[in-house]
Amino acid sequence: MTNKHRIENDNGLSRRGFVKSLFGSAIIGLPLLKFRKTPSPLLAGKIFNGSVNDEAYWLMVRRQFDLTDDYIYMNNGTQGPSPRVVLDKMERVLPEIASNPGNYYHLYDEANDNRKIIADFIGCTPEELAITHNTTEGMNFAASGLELKAGDEVLITDHEHPGGLCPWQLKAKKFGIKITEVPVGSPPENKEEILNRFNDAITSRTKVISISHICYTNSLLMPVKELCKLAREKGIISVVDGAHPFGMIALNMHEIGCDFYAASGQKWMMGPMGTGIFYARKESQDLCCPTIVTGGWDREKTAKRYEKFSTRSLAGLLGLGEAVKFQHDIGKVRIEERIRALSGYFRKNVAQISGIKLYTSQEPCLSAGLTTIGVKNYPLDKLINTIRKKYKIWPRTVKAHDLAGLRFSFHIYNNFKDVDRAIEVLDDICKNGI
């Protein structure tokens, strides 16, 4: 029996059955995108009113990218492909500056206008948003800027990315603070298990809880809203490494309730490399001193105090604005629903393949657009090379903490055929080897 038949029979879960189980029978109206570049003539002028399973709609979205057809890209969690509107914007800005270097300052006004668009997209005020270069920079801003002394404790998970871990390690080396890792499981049973472990780990010396919103290793979606509430109730500062959720799930900083949140623009937002955001809650900004300063830093009363870099890449700044506008046109809730439909369908089916270990929870509250799996006992380097070279699928490996496996990312340019192909490949490898 082929894998295609396997995933459609009663032992598996068809794409139609999965999406229906995830969202019920309701139809989600999808608007015609306000694309800034003419869509394919095949689809131009057609209005789509369908569900997250409307492949014609998402094919139109896919056609806004210049992705090669030589392989199926499933590593958005490392680097997302920018849609053409982002590339077009950058290609217009760079020659404009090069042709008249004395007359480009008006572009900073446009970049500042984008601040409100980005702030609205993530549920905060423009005064709480700094535009940075990446997640790591924002995490360093928090670790370097917060006033901690020897013996003060920072709670983290045991699955933090080096960009969220190393800034605290440097702080510990310089000032003698204590870092305590809280185990989260791969996967945990439920979110209460995580909350209880953090609650039990808090001591009188705990000053900061610093966690990934989505762990890059086991793809765990952390219960950040509940953890930030716990921190706030106990007078503890909350810092969130949000490298992945920006562009993957519908964010609202005020609902999350964190003090500081750092994210990258080049991953799920699919903006230019070297762009990111740093959210600093209005009431918490005076707790965190700027790390990089230039003229006027001491007069700045908003989160812009954290972006006093002097010269910036205007092409990158404006490209990030276009990336946010692009996703706004589609709708961040619809994007999350589409990503969850693809990823959930993948997890449900690969979990049934003998030889696959699922490191990522199948619970919607603990998972989103990333999935990490172990595949039998094959050497990881040989496994990834086979999948990329022989099968033309491009996930990535994860070798950190307590696991070694493959991580798959699904975004709005992917479709169910892509996911089916990945399932078939994994099933073939587990049955027939590499």
Side-chain angles (χ1 to χ4, degrees):
M1 179 180 292
T2 67
N3 189 61
K4 180 178 180 181
H5 292 151
R6 181 189 63 76
I7 64 176
E8 295 290 347
N9 67 20
D10 291 338
N11 294 324
L13 189 64
S14 70
R15 69 186 71 164
R16 181 177 298 175
F18 174 75
V19 173
K20 186 174 181 180
S21 71
L22 187 62
F23 300 111
S25 58
I27 296 296
I28 303 169
L30 298 178
L32 178 66
L33 296 184
K34 301 174 183 176
F35 288 124
R36 291 158 180 81
K37 199 172 182 72
T38 304
S40 165
L42 179 66
L43 299 171
K46 187 174 181 181
I47 297 177
F48 295 92
N49 292 301
S51 71
V52 292
N53 206 24
D54 185 344
E55 295 307 303
Y57 183 88
W58 297 107
L59 177 60
M60 185 173 73
V61 173
R62 158 77 185 209
R63 286 175 173 164
Q64 307 309 308
F65 295 85
D66 289 332
L67 279 165
T68 178
D69 293 326
D70 294 341
Y71 58 85
I72 302 172
Y73 189 62
M74 294 183 173
N75 189 23
N76 197 94
T78 296
Q79 174 66 45
S82 292
R84 284 195 297 270
V85 290
V86 174
L87 303 178
D88 290 346
K89 184 66 175 182
M90 297 177 71
E91 288 171 0
R92 289 195 299 269
V93 169
L94 289 171
E96 181 178 347
I97 296 173
S99 63
N100 191 352
N103 187 29
Y104 64 84
Y105 290 96
H106 63 283
L107 295 174
Y108 280 109
D109 295 331
E110 183 180 348
N112 202 48
D113 291 340
N114 284 339
R115 186 185 307 275
K116 184 179 188 308
I117 294 170
I118 300 171
D120 288 344
F121 193 79
I122 65 169
C124 71
T125 67
E127 292 74 27
E128 295 173 306
L129 178 67
I131 309 300
T132 61
H133 296 99
N134 49 50
T135 306
T136 299
E137 185 172 64
M139 294 303 292
N140 274 272
F141 284 169
S144 299
L146 292 172
E147 186 175 341
L148 300 177
K149 58 183 182 298
D152 287 346
E153 182 182 46
V154 177
L155 296 185
I156 63 173
T157 75
D158 61 340
H159 279 263
E160 293 305 311
H161 187 276
L165 170 62
C166 293
W168 295 114
Q169 290 178 332
L170 177 60
K171 189 89 166 181
K173 183 176 181 180
K174 292 176 65 177
F175 298 103
I177 68 168
K178 179 184 178 182
I179 301 171
T180 299
E181 293 187 357
V182 179
V184 293
S186 296
E189 290 293 327
N190 48 54
K191 67 179 181 181
E192 285 72 28
E193 176 185 330
I194 299 171
L195 293 170
N196 289 336
R197 287 181 177 180
F198 268 89
N199 184 65
D200 293 345
I202 293 173
T203 70
S204 60
R205 302 304 301 269
T206 304
K207 304 301 179 184
V208 179
I209 293 178
S210 180
I211 53 173
S212 292
H213 195 159
I214 296 178
C215 297
Y216 83 107
T217 49
N218 56 11
S219 304
L220 171 65
L221 174 63
M222 290 284 289
V224 292
K225 183 177 180 180
E226 293 89 342
L227 285 168
C228 290
K229 182 175 184 289
L230 173 66
R232 189 165 55 254
E233 290 173 347
K234 294 183 178 291
I236 297 170
I237 296 169
S238 55
V239 180
V240 180
D241 177 337
H244 293 286
F246 184 40
M248 180 207 291
I249 61 179
L251 292 175
N252 187 302
M253 293 296 118
H254 290 168
E255 289 182 3
I256 291 173
C258 60
D259 292 295
F260 303 98
Y261 192 104
S264 292
Q266 90 283 359
K267 294 180 183 287
W268 296 83
M269 185 47 64
M270 300 181 294
M273 297 176 71
T275 60
I277 60 171
F278 182 62
Y279 162 78
R281 192 167 71 97
K282 180 181 178 181
E283 295 79 5
S284 304
Q285 289 175 18
D286 288 342
L287 299 175
C288 185
C289 186
T291 304
I292 301 173
V293 296
T294 186
W297 73 273
D298 52 342
R299 297 190 297 274
E300 184 57 66
K301 304 303 180 184
T302 73
K304 289 178 69 176
R305 70 183 76 182
Y306 304 111
E307 57 177 77
K308 292 295 183 179
F309 305 113
S310 191
T311 304
R312 301 288 300 274
S313 169
L314 278 167
L317 288 173
L318 295 173
L320 178 62
E322 290 301 312
V324 174
K325 292 172 189 175
F326 176 78
Q327 291 208 18
H328 178 269
D329 286 351
I330 301 171
K332 63 181 181 181
V333 173
R334 295 185 183 96
I335 289 172
E336 178 178 349
E337 288 171 344
R338 174 66 172 182
I339 290 172
R340 284 184 174 277
L342 295 170
S343 301
Y345 174 68
F346 177 74
R347 285 190 288 272
K348 288 287 186 181
N349 284 288
V350 297
Q352 297 169 37
I353 300 176
S354 178
I356 295 288
K357 176 178 176 57
L358 195 60
Y359 290 115
T360 306
S361 174
Q362 295 196 57
E363 292 296 324
C365 65
L366 295 174
S367 57
L370 289 171
T371 301
T372 307
I373 61 172
V375 183
K376 283 192 170 180
N377 295 314
Y378 297 124
L380 204 53
D381 292 342
K382 187 174 181 181
L383 179 63
I384 192 69
N385 286 335
T386 299
I387 291 174
R388 288 177 175 176
K389 294 179 180 179
K390 179 179 179 181
Y391 296 104
K392 309 301 183 184
I393 295 177
W394 201 274
R396 65 156 286 180
T397 59
V398 176
K399 292 184 283 188
H401 304 282
D402 63 350
L403 60 83
L406 300 177
R407 193 185 74 187
F408 290 79
S409 306
F410 302 102
H411 211 331
I412 54 176
Y413 50 79
N414 293 121
N415 55 43
F416 281 102
K417 286 179 63 177
D418 295 341
V419 183
D420 280 340
R421 178 58 179 158
I423 296 168
E424 290 168 1
V425 165
L426 291 168
D427 186 59
D428 181 55
I429 287 174
C430 288
K431 287 178 178 176
N432 303 311
I434 57 175

